[in-house]
Amino acid sequence: MPIRDWPSAERPREKLLAHGAQALTDAELLAIFLRTGVTGKSAVDLARELLADYGGLPGLLAADQRRFCAGKGLGAAKYAQLQAVLELSRRYLFSRIGGEDALSDVQCTRDYLKLRLYGSPHEIFACLFLDTRNRVIRYEELFRGTVDGASVHPREVVRRVLETNAAAVIFAHNHPSGIAEPSQADLRITERLRAALALIDVRVLDHFVIGAGEGVSFAERGLL
C-alpha cells in the first residue's frame, strides 16, 4: 500500500511533524529522505531493505557512489542529496565545537568525530587543533593505516601543531572492527605524542577511539 494511503498517524512525515524527528525509526527517517518507493515497495519498505543491506545507517552513509547508485530506486541525485545531508551534519557539529570551549560539550565533540571517522574501512588518525581557549581551529586527518609507532609520526604532529599555532590538541582514530576499546598500541602512541608536544608546551586534552556505539574518551577513562 502506498504511504499516502496509510493512516495519517503512521505516515513518516506527519508523524515527524506531530511528535518530532526523534520519534521516528531509522527506516522512517530514511523514507522521508527517499520520498518515493519503487514498484511493489513503499519508501519505508525500500528504506528498511537498504538498512538491512548496508548493516544500518553507518554502512549506508559510508557507501561509495558506485554501490549506492546501483541500488533500485536510487541514483546519482539521491547519492548527492545523502552526501549533502551528511556534510551539513558535520558542519553543524563543527560549528558547535568551533565557537566555544571544545571540552564544555564532550558529547558534541564525540558526535562530530564519530561522524567523521566511523564507517571507514581503514584506520584514520585525526587531530582537532585548538587555540588557547580550547576552541577548535581546524580538524585534520593526519595518518591512514594501522595506528602504531610505525605509522603515526610525532615529529609530523609537532610540525602541524606549530603551523596551526595550536595551544592544545584532541586526537581521534577509528577502529574499523567496530570495537572502540583502546589497545596497548593506542596507549603507547598517545604517551609518545604527549611527551613530544610537552616539549613545546602544547597540551593533549583527549584522545577518542571511534567504533560502534559511543566513542571512548581517554580523558573520561583517566588515561591521560
Side-chain angles (χ1 to χ4, degrees):
M1 181 187 297
I3 289 177
R4 64 176 178 271
D5 295 333
W6 292 10
S8 179
E10 296 179 14
R11 298 174 200 162
R13 188 176 301 152
E14 285 75 4
K15 187 175 175 181
L16 184 150
L17 293 173
H19 304 290
Q22 70 277 2
L24 275 65
T25 65
D26 289 350
E28 289 170 330
L29 288 169
L30 185 57
I32 292 175
F33 165 77
L34 293 171
R35 296 180 58 197
T36 59
V38 295
T39 303
K41 294 177 185 175
S42 70
V44 173
D45 293 330
L46 180 58
R48 287 173 180 152
E49 188 175 282
L50 283 170
L51 291 171
D53 289 345
Y54 285 94
L57 276 176
L60 178 63
L61 294 175
D64 62 62
Q65 182 176 354
R66 179 175 296 180
R67 182 184 174 191
F68 182 90
C69 293
K72 189 175 182 181
L74 305 176
K78 284 272 193 301
Y79 180 80
Q81 291 169 1
L82 189 63
Q83 293 305 305
V85 168
L86 186 58
E87 185 59 27
L88 280 171
S89 300
R90 288 173 178 152
R91 294 186 187 190
Y92 165 70
L93 288 173
F94 188 82
S95 70
R96 287 274 307 276
I97 63 174
E100 56 187 64
D101 184 340
L103 297 181
S104 67
D105 193 342
V106 175
Q107 189 57 48
C108 186
T109 302
R110 193 193 324 261
D111 289 344
Y112 173 74
L113 292 169
K114 189 173 179 67
L115 202 54
R116 297 289 325 198
L117 297 172
Y118 184 57
S120 171
H122 47 258
E123 286 194 25
I124 298 171
F125 186 92
C127 182
L128 287 169
F129 299 95
L130 297 94
D131 65 14
T132 55
R133 295 173 60 186
N134 294 340
R135 296 176 304 186
V136 177
I137 299 169
R138 65 181 297 165
Y139 165 88
E140 191 169 314
E141 295 178 358
L142 298 176
F143 307 103
R144 293 191 172 217
T146 303
V147 175
D148 58 23
S151 62
V152 177
H153 308 292
R155 69 173 177 271
E156 178 64 17
V157 175
V158 170
R159 182 181 70 82
R160 291 299 298 133
V161 165
L162 292 172
E163 288 176 349
T164 58
N165 198 32
V169 295
I170 293 174
F171 296 124
H173 76 279
N174 64 310
H175 283 177
S177 67
I179 300 172
E181 283 300 311
S183 67
Q184 288 301 310
D186 297 337
L187 296 171
R188 286 194 298 269
I189 192 58
T190 303
E191 188 53 40
R192 287 182 62 202
L193 290 169
R194 186 164 68 164
L197 291 171
L199 296 174
I200 57 171
D201 295 321
V202 172
R203 296 164 298 143
V204 177
L205 301 183
D206 209 340
H207 186 164
F208 287 89
V209 181
I210 303 301
E214 288 289 304
V216 172
S217 158
F218 278 38
E220 288 180 341
R221 288 279 186 92
L223 299 174
L224 279 176

